[in-house]
């Protein structure tokens, strides 16, 4: 066959090749430079110039272009199964070639017998070959590095799949150094979705069925398509994310074949092993197969049968439930239910139907207690019980129980066998499993291990003064009297550990926080102001110097969000779940104050570890979805503590922004968080970080940080810092200068739109807009004064006095401290603004003057003379006032220049 290539060595991968298969072939080509790359049939992909030119760019050949009978060395990448390399079947008809295999998939019973094997349980085969390329010092072109990176990104789910290893990260880092183009990778692994894919996704969701196998929920979706749909695997990933699935199998009938695509987040379900049984392959968390010889019904039946035998049984409800269950009959009263729960220390109990119909409800102790307080103890429990509650069987998986208790907020789950209640799984059980068993994070470490009870006392006095220590002990003692666990929590504990002074004390109480606050206020001789909706209270009292001190007291609570960006709804909880609701791990800290455990540190989520690593990390993946204001807080804390935002946390930030979640925030919450950003020591750096993510512009286009606005923000920050240092007793409304900076150059309408987005009231918006106009007029007025010479102090006072200080500080920042305008305003603020006349209207009335406009005019003249240094003492001012009044009563009046010189 003279027209065919006659290669001695060929490299290929499996049919329906993904990016990892193609990339690993190209990587292997660097190790076997004389080999010919045989392109396998590829999975359909979205059009892109980089992929469209793949075969030409990397000199790939079709098997039909080669005489395979002369091949003496076959290199296989990303597979070792004979049935997955049908495109080179003729190669095995003659003399068997030597076979080298590079793969990351587990072994199966149908693997080719290889002469040389490199198998690693890594996230991608490309990572394996990249490490060999690294070791040999072989250089790569940017296009080669980009394709290899694409293979790693796809097969690791952009480093989010459980199969990802540190070796995948190392490989990607090397490729980045070789010129890997992240923009191309983002375009090819992004989640752009067509109208047809949206329709298909809707069909998947509508037809999905959930099968519980050994306690594990497995979702199976069958769809039929008229013709081929590209990038179906990405669509399955999207389906899994939207529905928050743990295991999914999608059976898609297209063009006479069934495409089986499987994904798993659970180690108990190895989808690679399952797909291998149908002639496909993959790894434990992602796999696929193409099935030709079965109908969809046959494949579905075979799949479910295989799952039953292959899936590893997981922890079940039956293994962790409390049994036997304490229950009450529907015929009991509220009072009887409360008595029973109090007797056994229960927060809730199942209610069984009196007629044996099997209907089940639930009554909570808090509800029963409140009903009894309202004299309703004789009412039947059925009047106030929760109905239609979810129940499980002993074989149900713990995942289902967690979903019911934490997501659906059902306090306990009855466990049924043949319709009878055989046990219950409670919120406490689930929390214990989540926090103690699953996370395995140590807690209970005292701040000073040798003397647990005096650990807080060992802190330096500047960080924890004796007065504060005594107050904390008093709070713990009160908790002991009331039978409540009391904790200092949040930023107070964080700063204590970091050595930062912070006397803003937050307390959390396992019990009735408002009642505790009221009693603590009484002991401290102060007052408590409750906020019953949020189960919090603020205690105000006097410290040893007579200054006011405030403590915030909260009921240990679990917050949930009705929709993204909403204010939290609050439920009672334990201290661990109270900490779990916090924004970042470094704030999820508590120190117990009860006498027996005084000073014991509660750190269930690795706060101290993240402090040591100087990392800002969220506690769960939905943190920014539930409360997007945490994005602004992340930027603040990162800059304030000189930490860095963790990679996973930053990915979650970008994910929330890509979904447009911040747009759902109310203007009031945005303004509150922006104010907090502006109050940071380095607010411009915080805004710069937020702008890199695109958050400010998503709120309103005026908040986009241009280079000019960036410089203006820095100037505002410097001016505010100097002003705070000079005038500690006066704290300006810092949001005003910063917002003026962002609105610099904008029209009135655009500015009004921003103020409306930030929920300014009509009065606030009018005042802000009026201030902008006032500052414009003021700038022109100062320029006019300078055209006639150096302005007199009284002229500056008259012009600048009506303007808000915040506006004047903004003008200094905008024009520069050393400009004539900046010097004038600084002179006014530093020297003139506090000047007042030493006489008032009463003095003028004592002179026999009648009330009227002349009094105000005279006082203004006296003040002008004092500002210009013409009079100083009270006697001089009285004399000047008398002279002025006499001159006016005589039908004349001194000229302004005479008054200013103290003459009449």
């Amino acid at each position: 066959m003279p027209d065919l290539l006659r290669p001695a060595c060929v490299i290929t991968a499996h049919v329906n090749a993904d990016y990892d298969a193609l990339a690993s072939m190209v990587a292997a080509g660097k190790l076997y430079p004389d080999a010919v790359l045989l392109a396998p049939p590829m999975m359909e992909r979205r059009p892109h110039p980089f992929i469209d030119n793949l075969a030409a760019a990397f000199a790939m050949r079709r098997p039909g272009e080669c005489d395979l009978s002369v091949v003496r060395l076959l290199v296989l990448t990303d597979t070792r199964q004979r049935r997955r390399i049908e495109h080179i079947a003729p190669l095995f008809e003659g003399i068997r070639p030597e076979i080298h295999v590079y793969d990351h998939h587990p072994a199966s019973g149908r693997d080719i017998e290889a002469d040389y094997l490199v198998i690693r349980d890594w996230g991608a085969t490309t990572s394996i070959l990249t490490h060999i390329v690294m070791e040999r010092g072989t250089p790569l072109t940017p296009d080669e590095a980009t394709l290899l990176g694409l293979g790693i990104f796809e097969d690791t789910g952009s480093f989010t799949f459980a199969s990802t290893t540190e070796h995948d990260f190392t490989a990607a880092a090397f490729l980045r150094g070789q010129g890997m183009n992240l923009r191309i990778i983002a375009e090819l692994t992004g989640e752009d979705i067509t109208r047809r894919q949206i329709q298909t996704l809707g069909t998947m969701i509508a037809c999905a069925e959930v099968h519980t196998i050994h306690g594990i929920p497995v979702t199976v979706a069958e769809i039929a398509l008229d013709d081929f749909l590209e990038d179906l695997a990405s669509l399955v990933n999207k389906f899994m994310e939207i529905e928050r699935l743990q295991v999914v199998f999608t059976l898609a009938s297209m063009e006479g074949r069934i495409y089986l695509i499987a994904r798993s987040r659970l180690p108990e379900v190895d989808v690679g092993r399952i797909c291998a049984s149908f002639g496909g392959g993959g790894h434990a968390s992602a796999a696929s197969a193409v099935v030709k010889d079965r109908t969809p019904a046959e494949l579905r039946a075979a799949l479910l049968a295989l799952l039953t035998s292959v899936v590893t049984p997981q922890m079940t409800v039956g293994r962790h439930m409390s049994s036997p269950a304490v229950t009450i009959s529907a015929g009991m009263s509220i009072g009887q239910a409360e008595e029973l729960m109090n007797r056994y220390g229960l927060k809730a109990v199942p209610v069984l139907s009196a007629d044996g119909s099997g209907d089940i409800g639930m009554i909570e102790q808090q509800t029963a207690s409140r009903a009894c307080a309202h004299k309703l103890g004789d009412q039947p429990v059925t009047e106030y019980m929760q109905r239609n509650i979810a129940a499980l069987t002993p074989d149900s998986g713990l995942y289902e129980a967690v979903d019911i208790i934490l997501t659906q907020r059902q306090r306990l789950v009855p466990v049924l066998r043949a319709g009878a209640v055989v046990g219950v799984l409670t919120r406490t059980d689930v929390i214990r499993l989540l926090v103690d068993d699953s996370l395995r994070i140590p807690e209970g470490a005292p701040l000073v291990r040798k003397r647990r009870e005096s650990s807080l006392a060992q802190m330096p006095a500047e960080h924890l003064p004796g007065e504060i220590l005594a107050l904390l002990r008093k709070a713990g003692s009160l908790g002991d009297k009331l039978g409540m666990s009391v904790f200092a929590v949040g930023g107070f504990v964080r700063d204590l550990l970091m050595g930062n002074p912070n006397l803003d004390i937050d307390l959390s109480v396992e019990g009735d926080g408002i009642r505790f606050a009221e009693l603590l206020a009484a002991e401290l001789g102060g007052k408590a102001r409750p906020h019953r909706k949020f189960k919090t209270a603020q205690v105000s009292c006097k410290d040893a110097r007579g200054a006011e001190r405030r403590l915030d007291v909260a009921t240990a609570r679990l917050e949930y969000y009705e929709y993204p960006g909403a204010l939290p709804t609050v439920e009672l909880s334990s201290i661990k779940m109270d900490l779990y609701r916090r924004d970042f791990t470094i704030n999820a800290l508590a120190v117990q104050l009860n006498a027996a455990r005084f000073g014991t540190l509660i750190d269930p989520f690795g706060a101290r570890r993240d402090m040591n690593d100087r990392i800002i990390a969220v506690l769960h993946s939905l943190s920014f979805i539930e409360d997007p204001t945490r994005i602004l807080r992340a930027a603040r804390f990162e800059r304030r503590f000189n930490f860095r935002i963790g990679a996973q946390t930053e990915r979650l930030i970008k994910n929330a922004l890509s979904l447009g979640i911040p747009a759902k925030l109310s203007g009031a919450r945005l303004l509150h968080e922006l104010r907090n950003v502006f109050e940071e020591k380095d607010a411009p750096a915080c805004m710069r970080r937020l702008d890199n993510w695109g958050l400010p512009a998503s709120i309103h286009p005026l908040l986009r940080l241009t280079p000019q606005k960036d410089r203006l923000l820095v100037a505002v920050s410097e001016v505010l810092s100097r002003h705070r240092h000079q005038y500690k007793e006066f704290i300006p409304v810092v949001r005003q200068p910063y917002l003026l900076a962002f609105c610099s150059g904008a029209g009135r309408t655009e500015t009004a739109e921003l103020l409306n987005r930030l929920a300014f009231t009509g009065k606030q918006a009018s005042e802000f807009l009026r201030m902008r106009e006032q500052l414009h007029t003021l700038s022109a007025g100062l320029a006019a004064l300078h055209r006639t010479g150096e302005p007199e102090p009284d002229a500056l006072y008259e012009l600048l006095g009506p303007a808000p200080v915040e506006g004047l500080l903004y003008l200094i920042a905008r024009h520069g401290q050393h400009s004539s305008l900046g010097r004038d305003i600084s002179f006014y603020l530093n020297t003139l603004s506090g000047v007042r006349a030493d006489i008032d209207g009463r003095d003028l009335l004592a002179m026999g003057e009648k009330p009227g406009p002349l009094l105000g005019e005279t006082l203004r003249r006296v003040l002008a003379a004092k500002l210009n240094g013409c009079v100083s003492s009270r006697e001089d001012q009285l004399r000047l006032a008398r002279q002025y009044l006499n001159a006016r009563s005589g039908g004349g009046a001194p000229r302004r220049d005479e008054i200013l010189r103290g003459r009449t």
Side-chain angles (χ1 to χ4, degrees):
M1 290 185 263
D3 295 330
L4 297 180
L5 293 174
R6 299 173 61 83
C9 173
V10 295
I11 301 172
T12 195
H14 57 79
V15 295
N16 292 315
D18 55 10
Y19 292 141
D20 187 34
L22 298 173
S24 59
M25 286 173 54
V26 171
K30 307 299 289 186
L31 310 181
Y32 301 85
D34 297 325
V36 170
L37 274 59
L38 295 184
M42 289 178 58
M43 295 176 64
E44 288 289 331
R45 296 286 180 177
R46 69 186 70 171
H48 191 282
F50 186 79
I51 295 302
D52 296 344
N53 288 326
L54 202 64
F58 298 103
M60 292 186 181
R61 300 286 186 165
R62 294 190 303 273
E65 294 178 294
C66 300
D67 180 3
L68 299 182
S69 66
V70 300
V71 173
R72 294 296 172 259
L73 174 60
L74 168 64
V75 180
L76 291 177
T77 67
D78 205 35
T79 189
R80 43 183 159 155
Q81 292 185 13
R82 173 71 179 269
R83 66 168 68 185
R84 302 198 74 195
I85 51 173
E86 297 172 345
H87 58 295
I88 57 168
L91 192 150
F92 297 93
E93 294 174 357
I95 300 174
R96 179 188 179 279
E98 183 178 352
I99 299 174
H100 295 184
V101 172
Y102 300 84
D103 195 15
H104 74 134
H105 296 103
S108 72
R110 290 176 289 276
D111 290 346
I112 290 176
E113 184 177 346
D115 302 285
Y116 177 72
L117 272 172
V118 178
I119 309 297
R120 301 283 187 275
D121 188 19
W122 294 2
T125 299
T126 305
S127 298
I128 300 171
L129 286 153
T130 299
H131 273 265
I132 300 174
V133 168
M134 291 165 56
E135 292 164 4
R136 295 189 181 183
T138 305
L140 298 174
T141 68
D143 281 351
E144 289 170 340
T146 300
L147 179 60
L148 269 60
L150 185 59
I152 296 173
F153 269 74
E154 183 186 63
D155 243 32
T156 63
S158 296
F159 306 100
T160 63
F161 290 166
S163 55
T164 306
T165 69
E166 68 270 24
H167 309 293
D168 302 296
F169 285 97
T170 305
F174 167 76
L175 295 173
R176 181 61 172 158
Q178 296 288 302
M180 176 175 66
N181 190 320
L182 292 174
R183 179 185 58 79
I184 291 176
I185 291 175
E187 290 171 354
L188 287 166
T189 59
E191 298 184 353
D192 293 339
I193 190 165
T194 65
R195 181 182 298 274
R196 185 176 178 225
Q197 287 175 324
I198 292 173
Q199 294 171 341
T200 304
L201 183 58
T203 304
M204 272 187 206
I205 294 172
C207 70
E209 295 179 354
V210 179
H211 302 267
T212 301
I213 300 174
H214 296 313
I216 295 177
V218 176
T219 301
V220 178
E222 292 181 46
I223 59 174
L225 303 174
D226 295 333
D227 48 23
F228 198 91
L229 178 66
E230 64 180 18
D231 222 358
L232 183 61
S234 297
L235 207 58
V236 174
N237 292 341
K238 176 71 74 174
F239 172 42
M240 194 174 192
E241 291 171 9
I242 291 174
E243 295 296 296
R244 297 176 66 185
L245 305 176
Q246 298 297 302
V247 182
V248 61
F249 289 85
T250 298
L251 286 64
S253 299
M254 298 186 291
E255 298 183 338
R257 302 181 181 186
I258 303 174
Y259 291 81
L260 174 62
I261 298 176
R263 298 289 185 267
S264 171
R265 290 192 174 107
L266 302 178
E268 295 88 350
V269 184
D270 183 342
V271 295
R273 179 182 175 190
I274 293 169
C275 286
S277 300
F278 297 108
H283 43 83
S285 57
S288 63
V290 180
V291 182
K292 305 176 184 177
D293 55 354
R294 298 179 191 241
T295 66
E298 290 171 342
L299 178 58
R300 179 177 174 277
L303 173 64
L304 293 175
L306 188 61
L307 282 166
T308 303
S309 62
V310 169
V311 170
T312 304
Q314 69 162 23
M315 291 190 296
T316 61
V317 168
R319 290 177 56 188
H320 297 278
M321 70 182 181
S322 299
S323 181
V326 176
T327 64
I328 61 175
S329 167
M332 294 177 68
S333 68
I334 286 284
Q336 291 172 314
E338 186 198 26
E339 181 184 353
L340 182 141
M341 286 186 278
N342 288 339
R343 184 189 313 154
Y344 292 104
L346 304 175
K347 297 294 185 183
V349 290
V351 181
L352 306 184
S353 61
D355 60 5
S357 64
D359 292 337
I360 295 176
M362 182 180 68
I363 186 74
E364 295 190 9
Q365 191 276 338
Q366 183 185 18
T367 301
S369 177
R370 292 177 61 187
C372 290
H374 288 288
K375 313 300 183 184
L376 300 172
D378 293 334
Q379 293 290 310
V381 72
T382 51
E383 291 295 319
Y384 299 98
M385 75 176 187
Q386 297 179 32
R387 302 172 183 272
N388 302 317
I389 64 172
L392 297 173
T393 67
D395 294 330
S396 300
L398 278 177
Y399 173 80
E400 294 178 78
V402 171
D403 183 64
I404 292 169
I405 290 175
L406 297 187
T407 304
Q408 302 177 34
R409 302 183 294 280
Q410 183 173 306
R411 185 173 288 278
L412 63 74
V413 180
V415 183
L416 310 181
R417 179 182 287 120
V421 177
V422 294
V424 294
L425 196 73
T426 67
R427 179 177 298 175
T428 301
D429 295 330
V430 169
I431 292 171
R432 185 182 302 115
L433 288 166
L434 286 176
V435 176
D436 293 334
D437 294 344
S438 301
L439 298 179
R440 300 183 186 279
I441 295 174
E443 63 95 3
L447 295 177
V448 177
R449 293 180 180 274
K450 293 182 180 179
R451 295 182 63 199
R452 171 184 295 181
E453 295 180 1
S454 59
S455 56
L456 287 177
Q458 303 298 315
M459 300 301 294
E462 63 269 24
H463 299 152
L464 191 61
E467 183 185 352
I468 298 297
L469 186 62
L471 189 154
L472 296 176
R473 288 192 182 279
K474 184 171 289 189
S477 177
L478 176 60
D480 290 335
K481 293 176 186 176
L482 298 174
M484 300 179 185
S485 295
V486 183
F487 307 85
V489 295
F492 172 76
V493 181
R494 174 201 68 213
D495 289 344
L496 202 61
L497 292 173
M498 294 175 66
N500 299 327
N502 182 353
L503 302 183
D504 294 330
I505 302 174
D506 292 328
L507 302 181
S508 184
V509 180
E510 286 186 337
D512 188 339
I514 292 179
R515 177 173 174 239
F516 176 89
E518 291 170 343
L519 294 173
L520 181 61
E523 285 198 14
L524 297 174
K527 295 181 180 180
R529 187 175 66 180
H531 303 282
R532 300 192 184 279
K533 179 180 179 181
F534 296 104
K535 299 180 174 64
T536 64
Q538 188 176 77
V539 175
S540 58
C541 59
K542 300 292 184 182
D543 64 14
R545 297 178 302 279
E548 185 163 321
R549 181 184 303 286
R550 289 187 174 89
L551 297 86
D552 290 316
V553 179
T555 303
R557 62 197 196 268
L558 172 67
E559 292 180 349
Y560 62 89
Y561 296 77
E562 296 291 352
Y563 55 87
L567 284 170
T569 301
V570 175
E571 287 191 356
L572 297 178
S573 179
S574 71
I575 187 62
K576 288 182 181 177
M577 289 307 290
D578 177 83
L579 296 177
Y580 185 69
R581 72 180 177 82
R582 308 277 164 166
D583 47 12
F584 305 107
T585 57
I586 61 171
N587 293 328
L589 283 163
V591 168
Q592 189 152 6
L593 304 181
N594 300 84
R597 302 193 71 204
F598 187 82
T600 301
L601 179 67
I602 311 296
D603 179 17
F605 304 110
R608 299 191 77 180
R609 174 200 62 216
D610 287 345
M611 285 181 191
N612 291 334
D613 294 338
R614 307 185 72 79
I615 286 177
I616 304 294
V618 289
L619 278 80
H620 59 90
S621 297
L622 292 178
S623 186
F624 298 117
I625 300 294
E626 292 180 342
D627 187 358
T629 62
R630 290 170 176 167
I631 299 174
L632 290 91
R633 274 175 260 160
R636 286 170 46 212
F637 291 140
E638 180 183 48
R639 189 62 184 177
R640 183 193 300 175
F641 301 125
N642 195 26
F643 281 17
R644 60 183 176 84
I645 294 172
Q648 169 73 354
T649 297
E650 186 162 9
R651 186 187 68 79
L652 294 172
I653 288 173
K654 293 177 179 178
N655 174 258
L657 289 167
S658 70
L659 297 174
I661 299 299
K664 300 177 182 180
L665 280 170
S666 69
R669 296 192 73 198
L670 281 170
L671 183 60
H672 175 77
E673 290 298 333
L674 280 174
R675 184 199 67 194
N676 290 338
V677 171
F678 295 153
E679 288 178 348
E680 288 292 326
K681 185 177 181 181
D682 194 354
C686 297
M687 290 303 303
R688 214 170 288 131
R689 182 68 151 129
L690 292 168
D691 189 73
N692 288 339
W693 295 326
L695 175 62
S698 74
I699 298 171
H700 191 276
L702 279 183
L703 296 180
R704 188 186 305 277
L705 195 61
T706 63
Q708 179 184 359
K709 288 183 180 180
D710 190 5
R711 290 191 294 272
L712 190 49
L713 291 186
V714 172
V716 166
S717 176
E718 292 173 350
V719 169
L720 287 172
S721 179
R722 284 195 299 269
H723 190 78
R724 287 194 196 102
H725 182 72
Q726 288 179 279
Y727 301 97
K728 292 185 172 68
E729 72 283 356
F730 175 75
I731 302 175
V733 181
V734 296
R735 77 183 185 196
Q736 303 290 56
Y738 281 111
L739 288 178
L740 285 167
F742 276 112
C743 296
S744 174
R748 181 183 178 89
T749 300
E750 200 175 5
T751 302
E753 289 174 354
L754 171 61
L755 301 181
N756 182 59
R757 176 65 184 94
L758 297 179
F760 272 56
T761 65
K763 180 181 178 182
Q764 289 171 331
S766 296
E767 290 175 349
F768 186 87
L769 293 170
R770 187 163 53 250
M771 177 172 61
R772 289 185 79 222
E773 295 169 359
Q774 186 180 17
L775 296 179
H776 178 74
T777 303
L778 187 151
S779 299
L782 284 174
L785 287 176
H786 276 278
R787 283 196 290 270
T788 60
E790 193 69 22
E792 292 284 359
D794 74 309
L796 291 177
Y797 190 97
E798 183 178 356
L799 180 63
L800 301 178
V805 172
E806 293 82 3
L808 297 178
L809 293 173
Y810 165 71
L811 285 180
I812 296 175
R814 180 171 182 177
H815 293 276
Q817 186 178 11
H818 301 294
S819 66
S820 61
L821 183 146
R823 289 195 302 270
D824 287 343
I825 296 177
S826 295
F827 175 60
Y828 165 75
L829 291 174
N830 298 335
T831 307
L832 304 179
S833 62
V835 176
R836 300 291 183 270
D838 298 310
I839 64 173
D840 57 25
R842 290 170 297 182
D843 296 301
L844 302 186
L845 291 174
M847 295 178 187
E849 189 65 34
K850 296 179 180 180
L854 184 58
L855 297 185
E857 181 183 337
T858 303
L859 291 173
R860 285 193 293 274
R861 295 286 186 171
V862 171
L863 176 59
K866 181 179 179 181
L867 288 166
N868 290 321
C870 300
V871 295
S872 56
S873 68
R874 172 177 166 80
E875 289 72 19
D876 289 342
Q877 295 173 43
L878 285 170
R879 186 180 306 109
L880 180 60
R882 190 182 306 277
Q883 292 170 347
Y884 183 79
L885 289 170
N886 289 339
R888 288 295 303 269
S889 63
R895 298 194 311 272
R896 178 178 182 275
D897 60 336
E898 291 178 332
I899 287 290
L900 298 183
R901 291 194 299 273
R903 294 171 51 195
T904 61

